[in-house]
Amino acid sequence: MKIVDLRTMRGPSYWSVKHTRLIVMKVDFGELAGTWSNSVSELPEQLADLFPNLGMPNPHHSAEAIKHPPLTRDQLADGEPLAYVLQHMALALQRQAGMPVYWGKSYPAHEAGMEMVVFAYREERAGRQAAEYAVEILDALCKGQSVDLKPMLAELHDIREEEYFGPSTQSIVSEAASRNIPYIQLENSNIIQLGYGVNQKRIWATTTTYTCNAGVEIAGNKNRTKAMLKNAGVPVPRGTTVYSEEGLRDAINELGFPIVTKPLDGNHGKGATIKIQNWEDAVMGLKAAQEYSRAVIVEQFIEGADFRLLVVNGKLVAAAKRTPAAVTGDGTHTIQQLIDQVNTDPRRGIGHEKVLTAIKADKHTLDILAAQQLTLDSVLLAGQTIYLKSTANISTGGTATDVTDLVDPYNVLLAERVAGTIGLDICGIDLLTDDIAVPLNETRGAVIEVNAAPGFRMHISPTEGLPRNVAAPVVDMLFPPGVPTRIPIIAVTGTNGKTTTTRLIAHMVASKGYKVGFTTTDGIYIQGVQLQKGDCTGGQSAEFVLRDPTVNYAVLETARGGMLRSGLGFHSCDIAVVTNVAADHLGLRDIYTVEEMAAVKGVLPRTVRKNGWAVLNADDDLVYQMGHKLDCRVAYFSMDENNPRILEHVEDGGVAAVYEEGYITIYKNSYKLRIDRAVEFPVTFGGRAGFNIENSLAAALAGYLAGFDKDDIKTALRTFVPSASKTPGRMNVFKYPQFEVIVDYAHNTAGITKFADFLNATEATHKVGIVSGLGDRREEDTLGFARIAGQIFDEVILRQDRDLRGKTAEELRELMTRGLQLDKPEIPITYIENELDAIDHALHTARPGSVVCIFTENISATIKKLENHQ
């Protein structure tokens, strides 16, 4: 049993539009193909022991729980397909490592003995690792080998801790998502972008786009913080900064005991020691603090409970009483045993895994115990409580009780003044007082610390009291009501024509003054400047545009390859255009039929927001059928003004675009809006390029639905002049004194068929084609492409691509030659393997009045050669 293909979906995909974070793997089951769980000795018992929650449904979805009950020992014994079991093993592994995921599916692949297994993930690396572990475990169990799950779960847990957003970040992201605000995790960082393009804001933990660097610097320097608060009339402990034992002695002489020592630039309670009562402990506290900072703050110890007040955007939003990690004796168990008992609380986990952190007896704990003549083996008296940490941080095992409703108005004002004084948009204020319901100046309490990027966990998941949605005011601050979070997105897919349609729409949008980012098969463009070259039609390229802070409109070509490789780079769009679906790239990425390809292309219109538009080709049966299953509004376009589908749609009040009487016309109800004669658009080459009339229809309809008026659309289509620089490889015409050269990217039967209509309408004394076969196409697709080429050309120069894509040069040459000669057995064929050499030959042998058509692979090199040809 082995994985033969492993992919990560990061957005809507062929496998699910709703569940966007998916691992897709193809597994070769080998001799275990077709095996069920009950046919392998002891497998049901072993699986049930290793995975107690195997097949557990999402507890938040009651309907799913009824429909998909857990895979019990008895159910496994009755028999389940191994692929189905494998799917649930990968999910269970993640759940047992602290990542609750539930959705998945499995089904036979096209190849015998292989299965497709699809399942959800929380953290990408963990999901991929879970896939590999699940296969490894199932294979071992089927071979009668033992399995040790502990190191696997430990590895998955470590990945989770490294990759997980953390509770604070997650709370903000979840709140944003609940408001339909998109987010992108910036690569190789924990920085999260909320919103798209010019409307984006960013968070890093609980620092935001609006967090003042000066405020962070002030909060990070405790002396400066204390001085500023003191000058503002805020009660703070008396203290000083020392660098040595001599300075420590002077400080104690001035302040007296008890004291607190902590590093000047510390955080999260690291290196802090409280309530020091003697010189020996003071020296130890100095050394502990100097592990983090040479400068150490020594200040008077303030009696009272530890409280954290959270201020967001100038308003107090939550308050919590924090208690250090502690155990209470029972007269029987040791301190270590008591710690272990506390850690059995299901709310406790490692790091940020759960709402509470497990208590760990580290050196600091041992020092605290030693100061009281205790060890981990000591037995406490019944009812005796001992604190195991000197600070009350949740991350060290402390607990929190929500006290937001108890805070005295004086203390509310004090907290808001502190945040403003330091200059933080999100501010955590630590203070010590006997009672938070009494003004701080009456309890002789004090503010002991101010924190930039304060943790939210104690507020969103307190040990006791009401959880507070402290992420909501953060999102309110970043995106006040009415402030946009997105930018308009028009996405285009299809087998042919999508690049030209994308460029037409992008040109139209830019003509209206928008700062457009668009992607195509030849690169990424920001405001007309190409920033990346190559095929940029996948999810990463889309995210590139949506991350750009200057872009306020996105037009994204979205190809099959990217959708099958990693899913879409966005979760929803405003307008989706589907040009057509034809037999191309079949047999790749487990897509073997045109109907399956249509399902892939159909992912895009399914992501259109409810009030958005799907623009579909009514002349294409498979594209037209997409409109029957959509939740958004649908508009159709057709080259036939009498298309009954169009007429029925318009009669029902729908919107459509048709080519009628030579015009691009918009139909809405019984009204017609004529945009312009198609021959006036340079991209149609005087009306000869019917496929570009079709592309113009789609672009005009998308523009109309986007809110552009007739004149805007007309002007844009008239001013879009195809050229080697604007539309490289798409109907680029080079005129020489004696002949003409046309460069195009037609690479499939549907594409060359439409090109044939153009070429047949083009006058020429001799028509020469430079063509090649593609190694990743089915034999019938290559033969079909070559057959059309043989029909439309008087002479063919057969070349080879640099990337043969799985076939040999000899195989492709034989296939293409056979196809070219199907209808013209005597057609002259010259074989020149290298593309540029083939072009040289064509240019030097071209007859007067002839047309040379180059179906190119290396677009930039081809164009450069033609531009330099004399």
Side-chain angles (χ1 to χ4, degrees):
M1 187 186 305
K2 63 180 180 180
I3 299 172
V4 296
D5 187 26
L6 185 64
R7 284 173 264 167
T8 306
M9 299 298 120
R10 305 180 185 94
S13 69
Y14 172 68
W15 290 273
S16 177
V17 173
K18 177 183 177 183
H19 302 277
T20 57
R21 299 163 71 84
L22 298 175
I23 299 295
V24 178
M25 62 174 173
K26 183 191 290 186
V27 180
D28 184 351
F29 278 80
E31 60 185 19
L32 292 170
T35 302
W36 285 49
S37 58
N38 59 348
S39 63
V40 180
S41 177
E42 299 183 8
L43 182 61
E45 294 77 11
Q46 291 171 314
L47 287 171
D49 291 339
L50 286 170
F51 303 103
N53 63 0
L54 192 67
M56 178 183 291
N58 191 330
H60 302 295
H61 298 162
S62 57
E64 185 175 323
I66 295 171
K67 185 178 179 182
H68 302 288
L71 285 173
T72 63
R73 189 184 304 260
D74 290 341
Q75 192 173 346
L76 290 166
D78 289 340
E80 292 288 351
L82 287 190
Y84 182 68
V85 173
L86 186 63
Q87 159 202 326
H88 284 294
M89 289 172 64
L91 293 167
L93 278 166
Q94 294 178 84
R95 288 198 297 271
Q96 288 177 221
M99 294 165 282
V101 286
Y102 302 92
W103 190 88
K105 64 181 179 180
S106 56
Y107 58 93
H110 284 272
E111 302 91 334
M114 295 196 187
E115 298 276 345
M116 300 300 300
V117 178
V118 183
F119 61 90
Y121 69 86
R122 277 287 185 93
E123 306 303 329
E124 182 175 322
R125 251 195 329 134
R128 295 178 69 89
Q129 186 66 67
E132 294 179 5
Y133 280 156
V135 172
E136 178 184 334
I137 294 167
L138 186 57
D139 188 53
L141 294 179
C142 288
K143 292 176 179 177
Q145 301 170 355
S146 61
V147 172
D148 184 1
L149 213 56
K150 288 184 179 179
M152 298 181 185
L153 293 176
E155 172 69 15
L156 290 172
H157 197 283
D158 288 345
I159 294 174
R160 178 202 178 281
E161 286 299 292
E162 292 172 11
E163 303 289 337
Y164 190 56
F165 280 166
S168 301
T169 304
Q170 185 63 55
S171 69
I172 299 173
V173 169
S174 296
E175 178 64 25
S178 73
R179 305 183 188 193
N180 203 28
I181 299 172
Y183 70 90
I184 300 173
Q185 182 173 4
L186 302 188
E187 191 172 357
N188 298 323
S189 79
N190 291 322
I191 299 173
I192 309 298
Q193 174 184 315
L194 302 176
Y196 287 152
V198 296
N199 297 319
Q200 67 181 268
K201 301 293 188 297
R202 294 180 181 180
I203 61 169
W204 185 3
T206 58
T207 59
T208 78
T209 297
Y210 297 137
T211 300
C212 171
N213 184 63
V216 174
E217 289 294 321
I218 293 169
N221 186 305
K222 293 179 174 57
N223 275 345
R224 187 176 292 119
T225 299
K226 186 188 295 186
M228 291 184 68
L229 295 183
K230 184 178 180 180
N231 289 337
V234 176
V236 294
R238 291 188 304 119
T240 187
T241 303
V242 305
Y243 299 86
S244 63
E245 289 188 19
E246 182 179 352
L248 175 65
R249 190 179 299 278
D250 292 341
I252 292 173
N253 289 336
E254 178 184 348
L255 299 173
F257 289 112
I259 60 168
V260 173
T261 57
K262 53 188 175 182
L264 177 64
D265 300 321
N267 56 50
H268 300 295
K270 294 177 181 177
T273 307
I274 66 171
K275 206 173 184 179
I276 297 172
Q277 302 278 14
N278 56 64
W279 171 251
E280 291 76 14
D281 289 346
V283 172
M284 291 177 62
L286 175 71
K287 293 178 179 178
Q290 287 189 323
E291 291 183 14
Y292 300 92
S293 171
R294 191 174 74 87
V296 176
I297 292 176
V298 180
E299 60 187 20
Q300 65 180 135
F301 174 73
I302 304 295
E303 292 284 353
D306 186 320
F307 291 89
R308 163 64 63 83
L309 277 60
L310 179 66
V311 175
V312 176
N313 199 24
K315 298 292 183 181
L316 179 76
V317 297
K321 180 181 179 181
R322 303 190 298 173
T323 304
V327 292
T328 300
D330 59 7
T332 302
H333 294 90
T334 66
I335 292 175
Q336 182 60 64
Q337 290 171 332
L338 294 172
I339 292 174
D340 294 340
Q341 288 179 6
V342 171
N343 285 340
T344 61
D345 185 337
R347 295 174 299 174
R348 290 190 182 270
I350 301 172
H352 293 134
E353 177 186 8
K354 298 181 180 179
V355 298
L356 293 175
T357 300
I359 300 172
K360 182 180 179 181
D362 54 15
K363 182 179 182 300
H364 181 57
T365 303
L366 298 177
D367 290 341
I368 291 175
L369 294 176
Q372 301 175 65
Q373 288 79 51
L374 296 171
T375 70
L376 292 174
D377 294 324
S378 300
V379 176
L380 300 179
L381 298 175
Q384 180 184 359
T385 297
I386 186 166
Y387 293 105
L388 303 171
K389 307 290 180 182
S390 59
T391 59
N393 296 76
I394 305 297
S395 59
T396 60
T399 59
T401 301
D402 177 72
V403 295
T404 306
D405 296 330
L406 302 179
V407 183
D408 183 84
Y410 176 93
N411 296 334
V412 172
L413 176 61
L414 178 118
E416 294 172 353
R417 291 186 62 244
V418 167
T421 299
I422 303 303
L424 290 171
D425 59 332
I426 302 177
C427 181
I429 298 114
D430 294 338
L431 56 85
L432 295 174
T433 181
D434 291 330
D435 191 346
I436 197 67
V438 177
L440 192 66
N441 60 346
E442 296 181 15
T443 64
R444 303 186 68 179
V447 173
I448 59 170
E449 195 165 339
V450 176
N451 300 273
F456 285 180
R457 183 159 59 145
M458 71 187 76
H459 305 298
I460 58 180
S461 301
T463 316
E464 297 178 21
L466 294 176
R468 303 287 173 169
N469 183 3
V470 295
V474 175
V475 179
D476 288 340
M477 174 182 68
L478 296 174
F479 300 102
V483 171
T485 64
R486 298 172 174 266
I487 60 175
I489 298 175
I490 300 178
V492 182
T493 194
T495 301
N496 296 300
K498 54 186 179 294
T499 298
T500 299
T501 303
T502 297
R503 285 183 167 276
L504 281 168
I505 295 171
H507 176 71
M508 188 183 304
V509 174
S511 299
K512 284 292 292 178
Y514 288 100
K515 297 178 179 179
V516 184
F518 69 93
T519 62
T520 71
T521 50
D522 56 79
I524 301 175
Y525 297 79
I526 303 295
Q527 297 187 56
V529 178
Q530 186 180 45
L531 297 185
Q532 287 195 8
K533 292 184 178 181
D535 188 344
C536 297
T537 55
Q540 288 185 330
S541 300
E543 282 196 355
F544 185 102
V545 170
L546 299 174
R547 288 197 307 264
D548 193 283
T550 70
V551 169
N552 59 12
Y553 215 116
V555 183
L556 307 173
E557 181 180 344
T558 307
R560 162 211 63 91
M563 284 193 274
L564 291 174
R565 184 172 54 252
S566 60
L568 296 178
F570 49 90
H571 288 172
S572 66
C573 60
D574 299 274
I575 297 174
V577 179
V578 185
T579 59
N580 46 60
V581 177
D584 191 26
H585 297 288
L586 298 181
L588 301 176
R589 296 285 192 182
D590 308 294
I591 303 301
Y592 284 81
T593 68
V594 181
E595 289 74 18
E596 288 176 338
M597 184 62 73
V600 175
K601 306 288 187 183
V603 169
L604 189 63
R606 289 169 61 196
T607 66
V608 176
R609 60 181 177 81
K610 198 170 187 65
N611 291 324
W613 290 91
V615 176
L616 307 178
N617 186 347
D619 298 333
D620 187 305
D621 292 345
L622 292 173
V623 177
Y624 174 74
Q625 289 166 13
M626 293 178 189
H628 300 158
K629 300 178 181 179
L630 300 177
D631 293 329
C632 64
R633 296 180 287 182
V634 178
Y636 293 103
F637 63 93
S638 172
M639 291 289 286
D640 178 8
E641 61 183 297
N642 296 313
N643 185 323
R645 294 168 175 173
I646 294 291
L647 298 178
E648 180 183 0
H649 180 68
V650 173
E651 284 179 8
D652 289 340
V655 180
V658 297
Y659 180 53
E660 50 100 29
E661 299 180 9
Y663 283 84
I664 299 291
T665 303
I666 305 292
Y667 284 10
K668 185 176 182 182
N669 300 324
S670 59
Y671 300 99
K672 290 184 180 181
L673 180 68
R674 281 187 167 175
I675 302 298
D676 200 1
R677 296 173 67 238
V679 295
E680 302 296 338
F681 306 151
V683 74
T684 70
F685 294 90
R688 287 183 293 150
F691 49 89
N692 275 344
I693 296 176
E694 192 173 40
N695 295 333
S696 298
L697 273 172
L701 183 54
Y704 176 77
L705 298 173
F708 303 148
D709 61 32
K710 170 189 171 181
D711 290 337
D712 295 330
I713 299 170
K714 174 181 176 179
T715 300
L717 293 176
R718 280 197 172 203
T719 57
F720 184 85
V721 180
S723 65
S725 59
K726 182 172 286 188
T727 55
R730 267 71 182 177
M731 293 299 294
N732 304 146
V733 179
F734 294 83
K735 294 183 180 294
Y736 299 100
Q738 299 294 318
F739 59 92
E740 187 174 274
V741 175
I742 301 172
V743 179
D744 197 59
Y745 191 62
H747 58 286
N748 54 52
T749 305
I752 197 171
T753 299
K754 291 187 175 183
F755 183 86
D757 294 335
F758 167 79
L759 192 61
N760 290 335
T762 300
E763 294 185 2
T765 59
H766 192 65
K767 297 176 182 179
V768 180
I770 301 179
V771 301
S772 67
L774 297 176
D776 59 357
R777 301 300 196 274
R778 299 176 304 172
E779 181 174 316
E780 57 263 42
D781 296 330
T782 301
L783 289 173
F785 176 84
R787 184 172 197 164
I788 301 299
Q791 292 170 354
I792 63 176
F793 293 119
D794 301 312
E795 174 188 349
V796 169
I797 300 172
L798 182 59
R799 64 168 186 83
Q800 298 285 5
D801 282 354
R802 292 169 297 178
D803 183 0
L804 298 180
R805 307 186 190 189
K807 285 190 174 66
T808 66
E810 291 75 18
E811 288 173 327
L812 286 171
R813 179 177 180 179
E814 188 278 328
L815 270 176
M816 287 294 295
T817 301
R818 181 155 37 109
L820 288 166
Q821 295 176 339
L822 281 173
D823 296 320
K824 284 186 181 178
E826 305 302 323
I827 186 172
I829 301 173
T830 304
Y831 181 74
I832 301 176
E833 186 167 315
N834 180 271
E835 180 174 13
L836 297 183
D837 290 342
I839 294 171
D840 275 333
H841 174 80
L843 293 177
H844 289 101
T845 59
R847 304 176 188 181
S850 66
V851 173
V852 177
C853 301
I854 304 173
F855 296 146
T856 182
E857 175 201 25
N858 191 344
I859 296 173
S860 58
T862 295
I863 290 172
K864 183 177 180 180
K865 175 172 281 293
L866 294 174
E867 288 176 340
N868 293 333
H869 181 71
Q870 301 295 325

